[in-house]
Amino acid sequence: MTNQNPETAPSAPSNFIRQIAAEDMQTGKFGGRLMTRFPPEPNGYLHIGHAKSICLNFGLADEFKGLCNFRFDDTNPSKEDIEYVESIMEDVHWLGFDWADRLYYASDYFERIYEHAVQLIKAGKAYVCDLNADQIREYRGTLTQPGKESPFRNRSIDENLDLFRRMRDGEFEDGSRVLRAKIDMSSGNINMRDPVMYRIKKEDHHRTGDKWRIYPMYDYAHPLSDSYEGITHSICTIEYEDHRPLYDWFLDELGIHHPQQIEFARLNMSYTVLSKRRLLRLVNEGHVSGWNDPRMPTLAGMRRRGYTPAAIRNFCERIGVGKKESLVDIALLEYCVREDLNKKAPRVMAVLRPLKVVITNYPEGQEEFLDAINNPEDPAAGTRKVPFSKELYIERDDFMEAPPKQFFRLAPGREVRLRYAYFIKCESVVKDERGEIKEIHCTYDPATRGGDAPDGRKVKATLHWVSARHAVGSEVRLYDALFTKDNPNDSGEGKDFTSYLNPKSVETLDRCYLEPGLKDAEPGDGFQFERLGYFCVDTADSKPGRPVFNRTVTLKDEWAKLQKASSK
RNA sequence: UGGGGCGUCGACAAGCGGAAAGUCAGCAGAUUUUGGAUCUGCCACUCCCAGGUUCGAAUCCUGGCGCCCCAGCCA
């Protein structure tokens, strides 16, 4: 166990991988050494599921005083792109992990991987097969029927060597030949039925250019890459469990350093999708604005949305690591985000759906500056001054002409507090010719300056507000879940996940008013808009002097819950 | 009569033969110049089911049942 004293070290829950690592360290299995790796393929942006893997691999290395390498698994040039390698590195750093000088690429090992293939051919363990893709599939058999051996399976070693060399030299067309491992066509495990090790692809690679005309398959390149780097624990997801015998086979046949592959269950989260294939479709079909759309579960999207690295790391710790398929409630992620932001985010007042309030007994043209606390959770954050004047904006939702009993906010004849300012009382409602509320007239009690009544009288609500004359205009985007179904992956007949896209996943409000201090907020800055939620300055669309805000997550809202319950 | 994996509260998840941890969600209350935060209490007589071993089983054994993954020259 890592924590002998749970009272002083309440952290890290136990999981089976930590246990294996702890045991291996104790028995000295790998010389008391631990090394992991995070091996993304640069064919898409990293998402929260990758964050789980990153936290696991880097976290384990940290915990056991080992190292975690960073490696691009770039063995398929047709799907990979430099844009992805750059975004991936940025995202891992942003999450808070560092690989120092241990940045590797599987493509850097191509020569060694090739030489090892030659070694397998010489040992009679690999052969060049001339069957085409369809034929290979046919010969492979099915889940219940064994496969048939390829007619090219027993070529001489010399012929194999010659053909493989010529594959490398580009003498043959794409798809005309492959190099296969000679294992067992009748294995119950289809991965062992003479799997393809190399295919011909006359395509340029983003790193090796036109040097290679053949590229190794994942199943062959991955164990070797792990081995070359001296990895001890090769952690991957559950779907590779069936590939482990093959991982072991290559390493055993070659007689080289043999890491232990360990599989864990990938993350699924409610109301979103976490597969690069599906995320790519959302991007390509224009359902979102890009990989970094704030609604995307990508690290780039969550960063732009205002999620913090600490919140995501914390989430990854809380969800645990196991082998069971699960669907984690997105409410847990949101809890982690609020937990972190509650401690850090400066409070500020912003009115999203404005309703004008005129304080009839407040002197025309007068203004005053009131003290406001920047963060009640953090006294060191200090205070600021906010301007008050005769005309203000409050939130439309904070006024009701005919309120139900549970509504505590402003209503005709009722008195409430304006945060850090005064008690005000609603005297009348002004409507336009269509009967819509245009503004409301209130009186204020000068004796309640700062928000307390000297006579001790209480109000049931405190509202946020912004002085009309001093307000900064802004656009604010309200984000909600991307999907309406908790698990969009399990789609019914003839449907796919896109049929559950939430049409209201974003609402743009462009007549919002902010307290003046927000005019110069920098892109990326995060705030709590009091009583509303956490918001951050959008990094793509903000202009100097006119910030655009993205809602990161709402505050918990008791009133909204009551409304929802009564509308059912 | 292919192979592999997994079943503990609504969602996650500890537990490793000796009284079913914890977190999120939910519910109730206290407190509050954010219907926020904070605090308190409640929320699995039972661990997919059935047998068996044992003084004692979520943990061990046997047999069922259910769910997931695999037939790319993707990773």
Side-chain angles (χ1 to χ4, degrees):
Chain A
M1 275 300 94
T2 51
N3 293 315
Q4 296 301 332
N5 187 345
E7 288 202 340
T8 55
S11 62
S14 165
N15 69 55
F16 79 102
I17 295 181
R18 262 199 262 260
Q19 286 180 3
I20 291 170
E23 197 183 314
D24 290 347
M25 292 301 276
Q26 211 171 53
T27 61
K29 179 169 177 180
F30 294 100
R33 192 175 60 85
L34 179 134
M35 181 168 289
T36 55
R37 102 265 94 117
F38 174 63
E41 184 191 14
N43 69 342
Y45 278 59
L46 260 25
H47 55 66
I48 182 84
H50 293 108
K52 177 180 179 182
S53 172
I54 294 165
C55 291
L56 216 203
N57 279 294
F58 279 92
L60 225 42
D62 203 50
E63 186 176 333
F64 293 95
K65 305 198 171 14
L67 295 169
C68 178
N69 288 352
F70 185 97
R71 177 168 80 232
F72 282 106
D73 213 336
D74 55 351
T75 55
N76 184 359
S78 27
K79 291 191 172 180
E80 296 154 9
D81 194 282
I82 193 83
E83 173 195 352
Y84 298 129
V85 344
E86 281 163 5
S87 77
I88 289 169
M89 290 198 281
E90 182 186 357
D91 289 346
V92 175
H93 271 145
W94 174 75
L95 232 205
F97 298 98
D98 185 47
W99 51 86
D101 57 350
R102 299 181 318 284
L103 167 64
Y104 303 110
Y105 293 81
S107 55
D108 286 346
Y109 307 137
F110 280 173
E111 195 63 49
R112 268 175 103 177
I113 291 171
Y114 175 86
E115 288 305 329
H116 270 129
V118 169
Q119 188 183 324
L120 285 171
I121 293 171
K122 286 178 177 165
K125 299 291 185 180
Y127 63 98
V128 172
C129 181
D130 301 358
L131 258 22
N132 65 35
D134 287 341
Q135 291 169 317
I136 286 184
R137 186 180 316 119
E138 210 182 302
Y139 275 70
R140 187 154 35 222
T142 69
L143 292 179
T144 52
Q145 293 166 323
K148 291 181 301 194
E149 295 190 348
S150 162
F152 304 99
R153 199 173 200 256
N154 295 308
R155 285 215 244 239
S156 72
I157 287 173
D158 286 343
E159 189 183 4
N160 280 320
L161 253 16
D162 174 61
L163 256 13
F164 187 46
R165 177 75 220 179
R166 288 159 65 194
M167 279 170 64
R168 172 181 181 154
D169 291 343
E171 273 190 43
F172 311 120
E173 291 315 301
D174 283 18
S176 62
R177 278 179 236 263
V178 293
L179 182 73
R180 294 226 253 168
K182 193 190 282 190
I183 309 181
D184 178 7
M185 290 308 291
S186 64
S187 172
N189 182 345
I190 290 179
N191 295 300
M192 300 300 269
R193 320 239 263 230
D194 289 10
V196 173
M197 294 167 62
Y198 270 95
R199 73 284 216 189
I200 299 169
K201 246 183 208 291
K202 294 185 169 174
E203 264 181 70
D204 289 359
H205 185 280
H206 61 98
R207 301 202 78 228
T208 59
D210 63 0
K211 179 168 181 209
W212 291 89
R213 286 3 258 171
I214 56 174
Y215 293 94
M217 300 288 290
Y218 167 88
D219 279 325
Y220 173 58
H222 202 85
L224 300 208
S225 303
D226 282 347
S227 181
Y228 299 158
E229 292 176 19
I231 301 302
T232 58
H233 301 264
S234 178
I235 299 167
C236 60
T237 48
I238 278 292
E239 65 270 27
Y240 291 103
E241 204 145 23
D242 287 348
H243 298 239
R244 192 172 64 227
L246 183 52
Y247 183 100
D248 292 338
W249 187 89
F250 282 122
L251 265 12
D252 288 341
E253 292 299 333
L254 257 9
I256 56 180
H257 168 69
H258 193 151
Q260 178 183 0
Q261 177 177 302
I262 304 169
E263 310 84 10
F264 72 97
R266 67 180 330 132
L267 172 66
N268 294 293
M269 204 161 55
S270 60
Y271 301 102
T272 192
V273 292
L274 290 180
S275 85
K276 281 198 227 172
R277 205 199 97 240
R278 293 194 175 93
L279 294 174
L280 215 212
R281 272 193 60 196
L282 292 177
V283 173
N284 287 344
E285 295 173 13
H287 297 115
V288 296
S289 64
W291 285 100
N292 70 342
D293 185 298
R295 293 166 294 178
M296 290 283 272
T298 52
L299 296 182
M302 296 194 297
R303 172 167 65 238
R304 189 169 164 200
R305 171 92 168 245
Y307 285 27
T308 57
I312 294 169
R313 278 188 252 116
N314 208 267
F315 170 75
C316 291
E317 197 59 65
R318 282 176 200 245
I319 57 176
V321 179
K323 300 190 71 159
K324 185 176 66 171
E325 184 183 67
S326 64
L327 184 66
V328 175
D329 193 341
I330 198 165
L332 180 58
L333 210 211
E334 293 182 340
Y335 172 83
C336 292
V337 172
R338 291 189 188 104
E339 182 187 43
D340 190 42
L341 259 16
N342 177 49
K343 290 180 294 189
K344 301 174 183 166
R347 271 60 168 174
V348 108
M349 292 195 286
V351 173
L352 270 28
R353 295 181 174 88
L355 171 62
K356 182 174 271 188
V357 171
V358 179
I359 311 293
T360 54
N361 59 338
Y362 194 85
E364 193 83 45
Q366 179 171 314
E367 67 173 18
E368 61 187 309
F369 289 82
L370 302 160
D371 289 312
I373 293 165
N374 287 332
N375 186 347
E377 303 294 321
D378 176 17
T383 63
R384 68 186 185 285
K385 299 280 188 188
V386 287
F388 185 88
S389 63
K390 188 180 178 76
E391 295 195 351
L392 314 166
Y393 291 112
I394 64 166
E395 211 66 57
R396 261 207 126 78
D397 291 350
D398 283 341
F399 175 80
M400 277 184 105
E401 224 181 342
K405 317 136 283 303
Q406 292 162 317
F407 186 85
F408 302 156
R409 283 107 98 143
L410 198 60
R414 191 183 286 179
E415 188 175 54
V416 298
R417 171 168 41 233
L418 292 181
R419 179 145 236 223
Y420 301 126
Y422 296 97
F423 282 13
I424 60 166
K425 188 175 176 187
C426 175
E427 306 290 354
S428 63
V429 179
V430 180
K431 297 184 179 178
D432 62 18
E433 51 290 346
R434 296 202 316 280
E436 304 266 336
I437 298 173
K438 228 179 98 197
E439 57 185 47
I440 57 179
H441 287 4
C442 298
T443 51
Y444 84 117
D445 176 357
T448 57
R449 190 176 200 270
D452 275 313
D455 63 3
R457 73 183 191 276
K458 300 289 181 197
V459 288
K460 290 194 82 173
T462 299
L463 310 187
H464 60 277
W465 52 275
V466 168
S467 163
R469 192 148 54 85
H470 303 87
V472 174
S474 179
E475 172 181 315
V476 176
R477 294 123 169 204
L478 270 21
Y479 293 107
D480 202 349
L482 230 198
F483 293 91
T484 54
K485 194 176 190 306
D486 62 347
N487 186 0
N489 299 316
D490 84 35
S491 38
E493 290 293 301
K495 286 185 165 183
D496 77 345
F497 72 104
T498 56
S499 50
Y500 303 110
L501 247 1
N502 178 7
K504 291 187 281 227
S505 59
V506 58
E507 182 180 4
T508 300
L509 270 19
D510 55 12
R511 259 197 70 213
C512 307
Y513 294 109
L514 317 174
E515 63 171 73
L518 251 22
K519 189 170 194 288
D520 301 312
E522 296 287 333
D525 284 354
F527 300 89
Q528 184 197 99
F529 288 181
E530 293 223 27
R531 303 207 306 134
L532 297 173
Y534 296 96
F535 294 75
C536 75
V537 182
D538 188 73
T539 45
D541 302 323
S542 297
K543 303 268 183 301
R546 188 175 165 91
V548 171
F549 280 87
N550 296 327
R551 182 171 71 194
T552 308
V553 65
T554 60
L555 246 25
K556 270 173 67 179
D557 188 345
E558 207 62 37
W559 168 238
K561 205 188 281 178
L562 284 170
Q563 279 180 304
K564 208 173 166 187
S566 65
S567 74
K568 270 182 186 168

